[in-house]
């Protein structure tokens, strides 16, 4: 825990001072008590005294003062809170190598099933969009609250040749920020693009922000290969970082590279983990490797929990103030209940 107004913690020195004052008052009260000839007779007449209970309300009040003094210093704590992310873009590789069966039943089907389970687990308040990429990139589903439309879009994937990871990232950003005037001319054959202002003067003035600071959206990028065409993925990641958007990357399939053949032709594929790790790190996100269908499901489950609940440092002054007020009310209530008066 940290404090924004650290200097106000000096006020806690009042607590031991109040303790000393309390004991002084007890001593003074005892000293001023009328001395009777027979103390035993007086005790018998008065019945059983309050005993330890007389110290409970003052103790609670002292605790209330201490907690309220801590609240005045504006405490900060790292807590798990509901995420503010309102839009998730699934950018998924649909290159021909996704037919490979090293992930059962094959990479494409496994990624589709894991993605649909992920979609089902997100809160209904989150919009979800789908971008597919191979040699080109396409918006398969614009951001929507309809889970049925998203699932249908995932089921419509059509495999193509090539792997343009950078195109998938750039088109995802253009989908999130349609008014930013993002140049899509570098994405050869990009389809179903969001409308972009024809005149650059119409686009909002762009000012870079802190990487990872945009909490209203995130991109989840899944691929099984390395870039063969399209813009440089790291340049695309830079665009995302400048807009504060996190890109969580998921690598699926073969790490070391191998030749995969199907339908009479073959191709060599290798998962470019270094690039995927760099993209995630550059945008203040995380990279995940999924070597099996079960791994892929667990990755998406982990992403779901990360995006629904986020850990961040936040001010907890209100909690301390509420606790202090509750202790003060409890002290007053017990005093009235036991002794018929407020301390």
């Amino acid at each position: 825990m940290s404090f924004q107004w650290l200097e106000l913690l000096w006020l806690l020195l009042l607590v031991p001072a109040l303790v000393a004052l309390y004991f002084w008052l007890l001593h003074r009260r005892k000293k001023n008590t009328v001395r009777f000839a027979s103390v035993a007779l007086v005790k018998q007449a008065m019945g059983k005294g309050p005993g330890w209970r007389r110290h409970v309300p003052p103790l609670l009040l002292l605790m209330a003062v201490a907690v309220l003094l801590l609240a005045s210093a504006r405490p900060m704590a790292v807590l798990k809170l509901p995420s503010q992310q309102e839009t998730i873009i699934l950018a998924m590789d649909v290159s021909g190598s996704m037919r490979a069966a090293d992930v059962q039943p094959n990479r494409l089907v496994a990624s589709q099933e894991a993605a649909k389970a992920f979609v089902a687990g997100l809160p209904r308040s989150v919009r979800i969009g789908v971008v597919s990429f191979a040699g080109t990139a396409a918006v398969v589903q614009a951001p929507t609250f309809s889970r049925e439309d998203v699932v249908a879009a995932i089921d419509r994937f059509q495999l193509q040749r090539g792997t343009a990871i950078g195109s998938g990232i750039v088109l995802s950003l253009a989908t999130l920020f349609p008014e930013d005037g993002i140049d899509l001319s570098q994405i050869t054959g990009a389809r179903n693009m969001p409308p972009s202002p024809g005149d650059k003067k119409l686009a909002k003035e762009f000012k870079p922000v802190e990487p990872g600071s945009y909490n209203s959206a995130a991109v989840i990028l899944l691929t099984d290969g390395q870039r063969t065409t399209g813009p440089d993925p790291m340049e695309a990641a830079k665009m995302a970082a400048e807009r504060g958007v996190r890109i969580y990357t998921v690598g699926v399939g073969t790490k070391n590279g191998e030749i995969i053949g199907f339908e009479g032709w073959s191709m060599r594929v290798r998962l470019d983990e270094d690039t995927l790790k760099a993209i995630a790190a550059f945008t203040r996100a995380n990279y995940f490797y999924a070597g099996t269908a079960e791994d892929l499901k667990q990755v998406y489950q982990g992403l779901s929990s990360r995006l629904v609940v986020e850990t961040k440092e936040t001010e907890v002054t209100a909690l301390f103030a509420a606790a202090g007020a509750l202790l003060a009310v409890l002290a007053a209530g017990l005093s009235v209940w036991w002794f018929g008066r407020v301390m």
Side-chain angles (χ1 to χ4, degrees), residues 196-246:
S196 174
D199 187 349
K200 290 186 178 181
K201 293 181 180 179
L202 295 177
K204 295 189 299 184
E205 183 181 355
F206 174 70
K207 294 181 179 179
V209 299
E210 183 71 19
S213 62
Y214 188 70
N215 293 321
S216 296
V219 176
I220 299 176
L221 175 76
L222 181 144
T223 182
D224 71 337
Q226 60 185 146
R227 172 210 177 196
T228 61
T229 186
D232 183 352
M234 291 311 301
E235 287 297 321
K238 180 181 178 183
M239 293 175 61
E242 290 176 343
R243 288 164 174 78
V245 177
R246 289 183 171 91

Side-chain angles (χ1 to χ4, degrees), residues 30-301:
K30 184 177 181 180
K31 186 177 181 180
N32 293 335
T33 300
V34 177
R35 301 183 183 277
F36 293 90
S38 176
V39 177
L41 184 62
V42 174
K43 286 184 177 181
Q44 185 177 2
M46 294 180 62
K48 188 177 180 181
W52 59 268
R53 290 188 301 176
R54 65 174 178 168
H55 300 298
V56 174
L59 176 61
L60 291 174
L61 184 61
L62 182 68
M63 293 171 61
V65 171
V67 172
L68 291 173
L69 289 176
L70 285 172
S72 70
R74 300 184 64 184
M76 304 284 292
V78 178
L79 302 175
K80 288 186 176 181
L81 300 172
S83 175
Q84 298 178 359
Q85 288 169 335
E86 300 170 353
T87 304
I88 304 295
I89 300 294
L90 295 176
M92 302 184 67
D93 189 344
V94 293
S95 59
S97 58
M98 291 291 285
R99 282 197 180 108
D102 55 343
V103 178
Q104 296 295 323
N106 63 47
R107 295 177 184 178
L108 179 64
V109 173
S111 65
Q112 286 174 312
E113 293 304 316
K116 287 188 285 188
F118 167 75
V119 167
L122 287 176
R124 285 284 175 174
S125 59
V126 177
R127 296 192 309 159
I128 306 172
V130 183
V131 169
S132 66
F133 64 91
T136 62
V139 179
V140 184
Q141 176 61 58
T144 178
F145 293 110
S146 172
R147 301 301 186 255
E148 294 76 16
D149 290 347
V150 174
V151 169
I154 294 173
D155 285 335
R156 288 197 303 267
F157 284 163
Q158 296 293 324
L159 297 179
Q160 306 168 37
R161 291 176 181 258
T163 305
I165 297 175
S167 297
I169 295 174
V170 173
L171 192 54
S172 297
L173 295 175
T175 304
L176 289 173
F177 306 102
E179 298 180 358
D180 273 13
I182 295 176
D183 183 13
L184 295 174
S185 61
Q186 58 182 320
I187 308 177
T188 305
R191 295 175 286 114
N192 301 328
M193 297 182 299
S196 174
D199 187 349
K200 290 186 178 181
K201 293 181 180 179
L202 295 177
K204 295 189 299 184
E205 183 181 355
F206 174 70
K207 294 181 179 179
V209 299
E210 183 71 19
S213 62
Y214 188 70
N215 293 321
S216 296
V219 176
I220 299 176
L221 175 76
L222 181 144
T223 182
D224 71 337
Q226 60 185 146
R227 172 210 177 196
T228 61
T229 186
D232 183 352
M234 291 311 301
E235 287 297 321
K238 180 181 178 183
M239 293 175 61
E242 290 176 343
R243 288 164 174 78
V245 177
R246 289 183 171 91
I247 301 178
Y248 295 89
T249 56
V250 181
V252 59
T254 307
K255 276 188 177 183
N256 299 323
E258 64 181 42
I259 296 177
I260 297 175
F262 48 86
E263 295 184 357
W265 61 280
S266 62
M267 61 183 297
R268 184 174 185 83
V269 294
R270 184 182 71 84
L271 179 62
D272 189 358
E273 279 199 307
D274 291 340
T275 297
L276 294 181
K277 290 177 180 178
I279 291 172
F282 198 35
T283 60
R284 304 295 191 270
N286 302 95
Y287 165 73
F288 304 89
Y289 173 69
T292 67
E294 187 60 32
D295 288 343
L296 192 55
K297 289 181 181 179
Q298 291 180 2
V299 165
Y300 271 107
Q301 289 174 357

